[in-house]
């Protein structure tokens, strides 16, 4: 039995691809807990599974001893490999591992000014995004990309990586390599509190722009300054003579 766990367009795509390969009866869908079965700006994985007549389970009801492959694609639960004695467990993580293990991978590369990110297929082990790497697809981050733009690039490249590697994943022909300690980073869930995000004005113009772009994700939030939503930040050649946070023009 193959389990597909996750959300959004990437999980829907993987499900449809696997139906073509192994058939709906060989699959189980594990939607995220907040999936209400309605399409929005991304497709509902629960709704897609229902339409394709794929059996839907939860992590609690799943008969884990019958699972041969477990594929996590933006799944919202931490998976313990000890619970799956006969399964090979894969995670499609939205970052260029070993950088940005954990949460908010659409934010940090923008915030820190990276010019590249990636999608990584890795083994699910007892750590968080620490398992051996099976495959990776890297792509460029544009200077004007916001968090929302980066997330869409993750989805697009994850779909391409899935299509390219799914046969090798299911035949277990991909060689794995250990993650390196150099340039490794991790951000837990409590590293950001979106209800308390405040733009730090005591910084360079480049740092200010990075903050605004990093927290711009229209479906969830836009950065706020002086009670207004900010959607753009332009860096000029003119040197400011004002204190940080001074409003020079309001239009």
């Amino acid at each position: 039995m193959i389990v597909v766990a996750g959300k959004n367009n990437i999980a829907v795509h993987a499900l449809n691809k696997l139906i073509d390969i192994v058939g709906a009866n060989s699959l189980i869908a594990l939607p995220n807990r907040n999936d209400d079965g309605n399409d929005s700006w991304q497709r509902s994985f629960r709704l897609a599974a229902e339409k394709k007549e794929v059996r839907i389970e939860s992590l609690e009801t799943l008969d884990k001893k019958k699972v041969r492959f477990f594929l996590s694609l933006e799944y919202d639960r931490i998976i313990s490999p000890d619970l799956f004695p006969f399964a090979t467990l894969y995670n499609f993580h939205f970052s260029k591992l070993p950088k940005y293990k954990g949460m908010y991978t659409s934010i940090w590369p923008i915030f820190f000014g990276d010019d590249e990110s990636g999608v990584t297929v890795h083994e699910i082990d007892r750590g968080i995004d620490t398992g051996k790497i099976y495959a990776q697809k890297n792509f460029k981050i544009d200077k004007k990309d916001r968090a929302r733009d980066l997330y869409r690039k993750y989805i697009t490249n994850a779909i391409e990586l899935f299509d390219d590697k799914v046969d090798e994943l299911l035949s277990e022909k991909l060689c794995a390599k250990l993650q390196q300690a150099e340039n490794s980073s991790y951000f837990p869930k409590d590293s950001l509190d979106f209800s308390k995000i405040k733009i730090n004005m005591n910084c360079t113009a480049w740092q200010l722009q990075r903050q605004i772009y990093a927290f711009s994700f229209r479906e969830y939030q836009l950065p706020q300054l002086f009670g207004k939503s900010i959607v753009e930040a332009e860096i000029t050649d003119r040197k400011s003579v004002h204190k940080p946070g001074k409003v020079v023009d309001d239009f």
Side-chain angles (χ1 to χ4, degrees):
M1 187 67 67
I2 300 174
V3 173
V4 181
K7 68 175 182 177
N8 292 352
N9 292 356
I10 178 57
V12 173
H13 178 85
L15 186 74
N16 289 332
K17 185 75 174 181
L18 288 167
I19 288 173
D20 292 339
I21 296 173
V22 300
N25 291 334
S26 298
L27 300 172
I28 294 176
L30 264 63
N32 283 10
R33 289 166 292 183
N34 62 353
D35 189 333
D36 62 4
N38 294 302
D39 288 334
S40 58
W41 70 284
Q42 291 278 309
R43 286 174 289 175
S44 163
F45 181 49
R46 179 179 294 278
L47 179 61
E50 290 173 350
K51 287 182 176 180
K52 295 293 186 177
E53 298 183 342
V54 173
R55 182 153 57 97
I56 296 174
E57 297 272 5
S58 69
L59 190 59
E60 289 75 21
T61 62
L62 180 66
D63 187 347
K64 301 170 184 62
K65 292 182 179 180
K66 293 184 178 180
V67 177
R68 181 65 188 88
F69 294 100
F70 187 104
L71 289 86
S72 174
L73 302 118
E74 294 283 87
Y75 192 46
D76 64 351
R77 306 287 294 274
I78 294 175
I79 302 301
S80 171
D82 296 334
L83 298 177
F84 295 84
F86 308 114
T88 301
L89 296 89
Y90 300 112
N91 181 41
F92 279 69
H93 182 68
F94 285 6
S95 87
K96 184 182 175 182
L97 290 176
K99 295 185 74 172
Y100 307 123
K101 299 175 178 69
M103 301 287 290
Y104 315 122
T105 61
S106 295
I107 291 177
W108 300 123
I110 304 291
F111 187 89
F112 293 115
D114 293 2
D115 58 10
E116 186 178 65
S117 192
V119 177
T120 307
V121 185
H122 69 87
E123 169 195 34
I124 297 177
D125 62 8
R126 293 179 179 85
I128 298 178
D129 304 322
T130 57
K132 296 176 182 178
I133 293 175
Y134 288 101
Q136 193 169 74
K137 188 175 189 299
N138 300 328
F139 56 86
K140 294 295 183 182
I141 300 175
D142 295 330
K143 291 182 179 179
K144 289 286 188 178
D145 278 349
R146 277 70 163 173
R148 184 181 189 270
D149 300 313
L150 180 51
Y151 185 79
R152 287 187 177 277
K153 288 184 177 182
Y154 282 138
I155 293 287
T156 298
N157 284 273
I159 287 172
E160 293 177 1
L161 184 61
F162 185 89
D163 288 352
D164 186 45
K165 300 298 183 182
V166 61
D167 291 334
E168 292 172 276
L169 290 173
L170 297 182
S171 62
E172 299 185 89
K173 291 182 178 179
L174 284 174
C175 296
K177 63 178 182 179
L178 292 172
Q179 291 194 44
Q180 301 300 309
E182 186 177 357
N183 294 320
S184 177
S185 58
Y186 165 69
F187 292 90
K189 187 175 183 179
D190 62 4
S191 60
L192 280 178
D193 183 347
F194 287 96
S195 67
K196 297 179 180 178
I197 287 178
K198 184 177 180 181
I199 299 297
N200 174 23
M201 304 289 289
N202 192 23
C203 61
T204 67
W206 183 85
Q207 288 175 309
L208 179 63
Q209 186 186 63
R210 290 300 93 202
Q211 292 179 76
I212 290 171
Y213 287 2
F215 297 124
S216 292
F217 205 124
R218 286 183 178 272
E219 283 75 17
Y220 299 113
Q221 80 282 323
L222 287 172
Q224 301 285 316
L225 280 175
F226 313 113
K228 296 182 179 181
S229 296
I230 306 298
V231 297
E232 182 56 271
E234 181 181 354
I235 300 175
T236 69
D237 294 329
R238 184 177 59 186
K239 185 175 181 179
S240 175
V241 295
H242 302 285
K243 292 183 179 180
K246 170 68 175 179
V247 177
V248 179
D249 293 304
D250 190 356
F251 54 90

